[in-house]
Amino acid sequence: MLTGARGEGGVTVLKGARERWVPTGGVELCVAELGDPERPTVLLVHGYPDSKEVWSKVAVRLAEDFHVVLYDVRGHGRSSAPKPLRGGFTLEKLTDDFLAVADAVSPGRPVHLVGHDWGSVQAWEFVTVKRTEGRIASFTSMSGPSLDHFGHWIQQRVKRPTPRRIGQLLGQGAKSWYVYLLHTPVLPELAWRGPLGKRWPRLLSRLENVPAGNYPTPSLPSDAAHGAWLYRDNVRPRLRRPRADAYAHAPVQLITPLGDAFLSERLYDELELWVPQLTRRTIPAKHWVPRTRPDQLALWIGEFVTSVEGGRPEPKAAGRHSDRFAGQLVLVTGAGSGIGRATAYAFAEAGARVIAVDRDGEAAARTAELSRLVGATDAWAEVVDVSDDQAMEKLAARVATEHGVVDVLVNNAGIGLAGTFLDTTSEDWRKVLDVNLWGVIHGCRLFGRQMANRGQGGHIVNIASAAAFQPSRVLPAYSTSKAAVLMLSECLRAELADQGIGVSAICPGLVNTNITSTARFAGVDAEEEARRQKKSARLYGMRNYPPEKVAEAILRAIVNDDAVVPVTPEARGAHVLSRFAPGVLRRLARVKSPV
Amino acid sequence: MATALTSERTAELEGFRRVQRLAYECAEAVAARLEPGVTERQAARMQREWLAARGVRDWFHMPFAWFGDRTAFVNFRVPLQFFPTSRRLEPGMPFILDMAPVFEGFTSDIGYSGSLGANPVQHKLMDDLRAHRELILREVRERRSLREIYEDVDRLMVRQGYANRHRAYPFGVIAHKVDRVRARRFSPRLFGFGTQSLKGLAADALHGHREGWSPLWSPYRFSDHPPRPGLWAVEPHLGFRGTGAKFEEILVVTDSRDPEESAFWLDDDLPHVRRWAEVTC
């Protein structure tokens, strides 16, 4: 006999899902299945205030490769609520629910758990208690810590306070404001069933950038009202007396949204103590990642599940920032040499998928080959001249159909041109602007459009130069083109900020690459040009600033979402002077070239 | 007279070849004994003891051993960092053994790269060193200036996608001259280098300075001269993302007009050359 009533309202937004009802502990859970039941089962658990529909975007992507199962947590969506509500939402009961669902959809085979928000909090309980051992193959957690780990985290900071620890405590304490409110009686229910429930969709789209549509479902007010008991039944007892044996018995992948308004990154600092096999991922997004970043989540969940199913081979890429760039699609122009090539390698080491674009096919192929060798999930070479708009359009279309939307675009391709303004012909000008400026414009235009249309963020890096703010009589055309790139990046950054797409301009300075030996020297004959190329190559060789360091700066700029990054000490110096003592730079600009 | 000279030279080269072979045998023997947990110092001592047991009493330099990212000289700033450390070998790690024993008055200087188990990056680097061995010989036979050859090697490395790591050696040398050393009962060492050999090098440097050449093959102006007849220990060293690989062996340069005779590798039966031959087959 059912004691609870079936939850009210809300048509499912999961197309093609097979639904069933699973009775457990006096309630009936609404369970939806997608994909081939023979495949490994991925079980998605939603948070608060949500219903299983929060996963709709992720679920359909995963359903291509896996048996995807979602259920409405008791009291949410179309599952019935326990009676009485008080005491009906304890983690023990939620664990019973999970086991009932797992047994119904995947008897005899462990499932891969994925939890968001309270779904993750519950799932931490599932993955750390004894009775579920052997039922969970892996767990992907996002935006929901284990209450036991959280309890220990707080206790540690209270017992042995240091200024930093107190800061962390206060920081998380401020982010948890809603938890205190939810502990007041009746008021939260009234708010959710009244004005807050009505305004919630608009708040979500404005504050959390959750795209509007058929989410949240109409069941929201009752979900949120019932769900308040998740907090009231569990938070205080668990934080006061956290379990001492909350060790995970399955591999865990932790996905941390860096812009989460409710949870501090610091919460997971000591997680390795509790999880022997932890894979960390970070994503620049706000709390509701299942709605805002479904592609990335589906990719990471898919990769993790596949690696666990395959016996968890050693990860190929353990490089710096692999938590951020693993599996991401990165396109680098001018990747056949110098900074572009070093950047491709750096992304490869972080486990990205790399597209190396260069007009020299052999060099691009070489970059792709070596990228695969150092850890790229995959790498391809493309032969394109960035100044050719038609070729770039074809490239953009081909990349979109074959590999998808790029997550990171690095507009690096550039050529050098030295010589005074009066020596520079209009043909010289055209050439340098075509590559250095138009190449960047084409890249930003085509791939930036794709990123914006997808609406799941991304990052564009444009390689400008220290010459963008350091005037000189030696490089007028080159400096002009790079100054344009710098301003273009700043404008684009402003324009794309709303869509979560970052734009960074990198100003390297004197870096030891082959740009010197291919540079054009205006106003001199071929022989003199060759001599100057050689001389400047030696000069840059003597300076010997490696392109690898610029590549590192590029990855760091993306992770920190920096706007303008001067790299070498001389570039940093010039950048400071350009702001505080531009007169000095003007004086320097008059110095005649040593080459 | 000519035949007497030739036979004397042949015998001399045979002496150099013998010690170079001995050194490579040592490298292979020690490499076969490397296992996880062995430190660089232990590996260096293994080389020293192996050679000492076979009669080596003097050194151009003491054996070096580099493991892991030290094979690519990551963050090397002062020469002291070349000396073996307590870094331990782990499975899959690349390593380089570099030794320069003097045997019966003949000097050798060799470099042997390998990895403990499979390391695809290290294998790739070894494959790609082949082009450098061919390029250096070709350009020396063309009597190009050493500085230019250095820059061509540099360019080839860049095209291959690697970094030039011999730049980290003292004076950034890709090669240096070696010569016969008089066997002395007492041959102290200075910072790991045999004083007898250093003396020879210093004498060469002095002569060279007067005549416009240098026993050090570097990217600098003092190497802007055609190859000087003699024996050169050539050591191109590739680096790629924390993995390095090199070979080092002796290139014989003569004043012969015949290009084939004007420069040749002392010995073509060395581990890395055999490896390339196998790959081709």
Side-chain angles (χ1 to χ4, degrees):
Chain A
M1 265 308 283
L2 292 177
T3 48
R6 281 187 179 178
E8 62 255 55
V11 188
T12 177
V13 286
L14 290 161
K15 285 209 187 78
R18 307 179 289 278
E19 285 199 352
R20 63 163 111 175
W21 300 86
V22 174
T24 158
V27 294
E28 255 199 348
L29 301 177
C30 175
V31 180
E33 288 175 73
L34 292 124
D36 181 1
E38 295 302 310
R39 299 284 183 90
T41 303
V42 178
L43 183 59
L44 307 168
V45 191
H46 70 80
Y48 173 88
D50 276 322
S51 58
K52 64 180 182 306
E53 281 70 27
V54 73
W55 289 114
S56 58
K57 291 181 176 181
V58 178
V60 291
R61 284 165 174 81
L62 286 173
E64 290 168 19
D65 300 313
F66 303 105
H67 174 218
V68 181
V69 180
L70 321 84
Y71 69 95
D72 284 322
V73 173
R74 50 171 61 204
H76 295 70
R78 297 202 286 149
S79 294
S80 57
K83 265 185 181 172
L85 290 169
R86 179 190 296 272
F89 287 87
T90 58
L91 285 170
E92 290 74 19
K93 290 188 176 159
L94 296 169
T95 310
D96 293 338
D97 292 357
F98 157 70
L99 283 172
V101 173
D103 287 341
V105 297
S106 173
R109 197 171 168 190
V111 300
H112 297 271
L113 257 177
V114 179
H116 172 249
D117 189 87
W118 252 94
S120 169
V121 176
Q122 295 181 42
W124 272 113
E125 171 80 2
F126 309 160
V127 84
T128 54
V129 292
K130 277 273 176 297
R131 60 189 171 121
T132 58
E133 236 168 291
R135 296 299 293 133
I136 301 171
S138 79
F139 168 39
T140 299
S141 159
M142 51 198 94
S143 295
S146 154
L147 288 182
D148 299 301
H149 301 167
F150 192 12
H152 287 292
W153 186 88
I154 293 172
Q155 284 187 3
Q156 226 175 27
R157 278 155 184 76
V158 172
K159 277 183 192 154
R160 310 184 106 187
T162 63
R164 175 177 299 167
R165 287 177 159 192
I166 293 170
Q168 291 175 353
L169 212 49
L170 292 177
Q172 181 55 49
K175 286 186 167 187
S176 295
W177 55 270
Y178 64 99
V179 180
Y180 320 133
L181 288 185
L182 282 167
H183 278 83
T184 56
V186 193
L187 278 177
E189 278 90 338
L190 284 177
W192 279 114
R193 291 192 192 277
L196 184 56
K198 215 175 286 165
R199 300 226 173 94
W200 186 246
R202 231 180 321 145
L203 279 175
L204 267 188
S205 97
R206 197 163 50 177
L207 299 177
E208 288 284 329
N209 303 336
V210 172
N214 44 16
Y215 169 88
T217 53
S219 66
L220 171 80
S222 79
D223 297 344
H226 290 153
W229 287 99
L230 287 167
Y231 292 86
R232 295 168 185 161
D233 278 349
N234 297 300
V235 171
R236 269 184 300 176
R238 283 304 174 103
L239 293 191
R240 209 175 292 151
R241 275 181 301 278
R243 288 191 295 131
D245 61 345
Y247 296 101
H249 49 66
V252 177
Q253 169 173 243
L254 176 77
I255 300 176
T256 314
L258 298 174
D260 199 318
F262 310 107
L263 295 157
S264 153
E265 293 165 60
R266 298 275 79 82
L267 280 180
Y268 308 109
D269 278 354
E270 292 112 27
L271 203 55
E272 270 84 359
L273 294 177
W274 301 104
V275 185
Q277 307 177 61
L278 181 67
T279 306
R280 285 177 186 268
R281 302 270 176 248
T282 55
I283 187 165
K286 295 187 174 180
H287 182 76
W288 264 273
V289 275
R291 302 307 302 175
T292 56
R293 299 286 185 271
D295 283 346
Q296 185 65 72
L297 292 194
L299 184 101
W300 279 340
I301 295 168
E303 274 183 358
F304 189 61
V305 168
T306 312
S307 93
V308 170
E309 287 285 320
R312 253 175 102 73
E314 278 284 304
K316 235 172 97 188
R320 252 225 193 117
H321 304 307
S322 57
D323 60 327
R324 169 72 185 271
F325 298 113
Q328 291 208 329
L329 188 62
V330 178
L331 186 139
V332 183
T333 68
S337 61
I339 295 174
R341 188 174 246 177
T343 306
Y345 292 160
F347 278 112
E349 279 187 344
R353 294 176 292 150
V354 178
I355 304 172
V357 179
D358 203 284
R359 42 174 196 189
D360 178 350
E362 201 184 314
R366 178 92 195 167
T367 304
E369 185 193 354
L370 291 180
S371 295
R372 275 191 296 270
L373 216 53
V374 290
T377 311
D378 212 339
W380 307 270
E382 292 281 355
V383 188
V384 175
D385 181 348
V386 293
S387 63
D388 180 345
D389 59 344
Q390 303 233 318
M392 284 294 278
E393 267 175 40
K394 277 187 200 147
L395 173 73
R398 195 163 56 238
V399 167
T401 49
E402 286 175 15
H403 315 299
V405 178
V406 297
D407 296 298
V408 178
L409 166 71
V410 183
N411 285 309
N412 160 75
I415 54 172
L417 172 63
T420 61
F421 175 77
L422 293 179
D423 284 339
T424 310
T425 64
S426 58
E427 186 51 34
D428 288 334
W429 271 99
R430 204 165 292 130
K431 236 185 235 164
V432 78
L433 289 181
D434 270 354
V435 178
N436 289 9
L437 179 57
W438 276 102
V440 175
I441 294 175
H442 293 320
C444 292
R445 195 168 54 85
L446 297 163
F447 293 100
R449 160 81 56 212
Q450 290 181 5
M451 284 183 197
N453 285 349
R454 178 177 66 162
Q456 297 186 37
H459 206 102
I460 297 175
V461 177
N462 295 329
I463 308 299
S465 165
F469 39 75
Q470 163 71 67
S472 79
R473 61 193 298 165
V474 198
L475 302 165
Y478 180 78
S479 305
T480 307
S481 71
K482 290 302 189 181
V485 169
L486 183 59
M487 186 45 85
L488 167 68
S489 310
E490 295 264 32
C491 296
L492 196 60
R493 184 180 171 86
E495 182 177 332
L496 296 178
D498 298 342
Q499 295 165 63
I501 301 171
V503 181
S504 304
I506 312 291
C507 306
L510 299 181
V511 178
N512 190 11
T513 71
N514 64 347
I515 194 168
T516 44
S517 28
T518 57
R520 163 116 183 78
F521 287 77
V524 297
D525 57 19
E527 197 181 322
E528 175 64 12
E529 182 172 75
R531 196 190 68 78
R532 290 194 186 182
Q533 283 175 349
K534 209 166 181 182
K535 209 160 167 200
S536 55
R538 276 184 190 154
L539 202 75
Y540 276 56
M542 231 123 81
R543 170 71 185 85
N544 201 20
Y545 195 89
E548 286 76 19
K549 282 198 180 176
V550 183
E552 260 171 52
I554 290 172
L555 267 68
R556 210 166 37 235
I558 300 173
V559 169
N560 301 338
D561 192 16
D562 295 325
V564 180
V565 180
V567 183
T568 59
E570 62 269 16
R572 284 206 297 269
H575 191 231
V576 172
L577 287 177
S578 72
R579 289 152 89 187
F580 300 108
V584 176
L585 292 189
R586 286 181 199 124
R587 199 74 55 78
L588 275 173
R590 294 187 185 191
V591 174
K592 281 193 181 154
S593 147
V595 176
Chain B
M1 186 67 196
T3 41
L5 257 179
T6 319
S7 67
E8 190 183 324
R9 218 196 69 184
T10 318
E12 193 176 30
L13 289 185
E14 195 45 50
F16 281 108
R17 202 170 288 134
R18 221 169 29 240
V19 57
Q20 180 163 293
R21 285 226 171 136
L22 184 72
Y24 265 106
E25 269 170 41
C26 167
E28 287 188 308
V30 170
R33 282 169 54 204
L34 291 179
E35 51 185 300
V38 171
T39 64
E40 289 182 353
R41 285 206 188 96
Q42 285 167 340
R45 186 181 310 129
M46 280 151 75
Q47 299 172 53
R48 207 170 61 225
E49 287 171 356
W50 195 96
L51 287 167
R54 281 154 188 80
V56 170
R57 292 286 169 271
D58 196 5
W59 305 83
F60 178 80
H61 66 70
M62 298 299 289
F64 290 107
W66 302 301
F67 294 168
D69 67 0
R70 280 174 50 83
T71 56
F73 303 148
V74 172
N75 294 327
F76 274 36
R77 297 198 203 292
V78 290
L80 284 177
Q81 287 174 290
F82 286 105
F83 288 108
T85 65
S86 53
R87 162 83 58 101
R88 286 180 189 282
L89 197 59
E90 290 164 21
M93 243 189 195
F95 63 80
I96 294 178
L97 306 176
D98 188 313
M99 69 198 91
V102 177
F103 185 58
E104 295 170 347
F106 298 100
T107 311
S108 76
D109 194 347
I110 67 130
Y112 179 91
S113 311
S115 57
L116 191 66
N119 183 327
V121 175
Q122 203 271 342
H123 284 251
K124 182 80 191 152
L125 288 167
M126 282 310 288
D127 291 345
D128 290 333
L129 270 171
R130 181 182 195 164
H132 291 277
R133 195 173 186 263
E134 287 160 5
L135 173 90
I136 291 167
L137 182 61
R138 191 172 61 242
E139 299 204 342
V140 168
R141 282 178 175 168
E142 288 167 9
R143 287 296 186 259
R144 304 271 297 275
S145 127
L146 292 183
R147 189 189 194 188
E148 273 174 32
I149 302 176
Y150 190 105
E151 284 169 352
D152 284 344
V153 170
D154 223 18
R155 264 191 284 278
L156 177 58
M157 286 184 176
V158 167
R159 212 163 50 241
Q160 287 177 332
Y162 302 136
N164 164 356
R165 292 319 296 152
H166 47 261
R167 213 198 166 82
Y169 292 129
F171 303 101
V173 297
I174 188 176
H176 55 83
K177 273 195 78 177
V178 293
D179 220 329
R180 296 189 63 160
V181 172
R182 196 175 300 170
R184 290 277 169 93
R185 196 171 301 162
F186 179 63
S187 60
R189 284 178 290 275
L190 200 63
F191 293 112
F193 283 81
T195 40
Q196 300 298 329
S197 306
L198 281 181
K199 233 163 69 185
L201 209 54
D204 264 354
L206 194 66
H207 280 286
H209 184 67
R210 288 182 188 144
E211 294 164 16
W213 59 274
S214 162
L216 299 176
W217 182 343
S218 77
Y220 305 113
R221 202 173 302 147
F222 61 73
S223 290
D224 210 351
H225 59 80
R228 171 91 191 167
L231 271 65
W232 291 84
V234 183
E235 44 181 339
H237 193 145
L238 302 180
F240 181 56
R241 318 296 298 182
T243 303
K246 70 181 278 190
F247 67 80
E248 182 168 14
E249 55 174 304
I250 286 176
L251 178 72
V252 184
V253 180
T254 68
D255 45 13
S256 164
R257 293 250 176 85
D258 175 16
E260 295 270 312
E261 277 293 302
S262 69
F264 52 90
W265 295 106
L266 179 64
D267 192 351
D268 274 324
D269 190 19
L270 298 177
H272 49 275
V273 187
R274 285 198 295 269
R275 173 199 151 86
W276 295 327
E278 276 166 29
V279 172
T280 325
C281 293

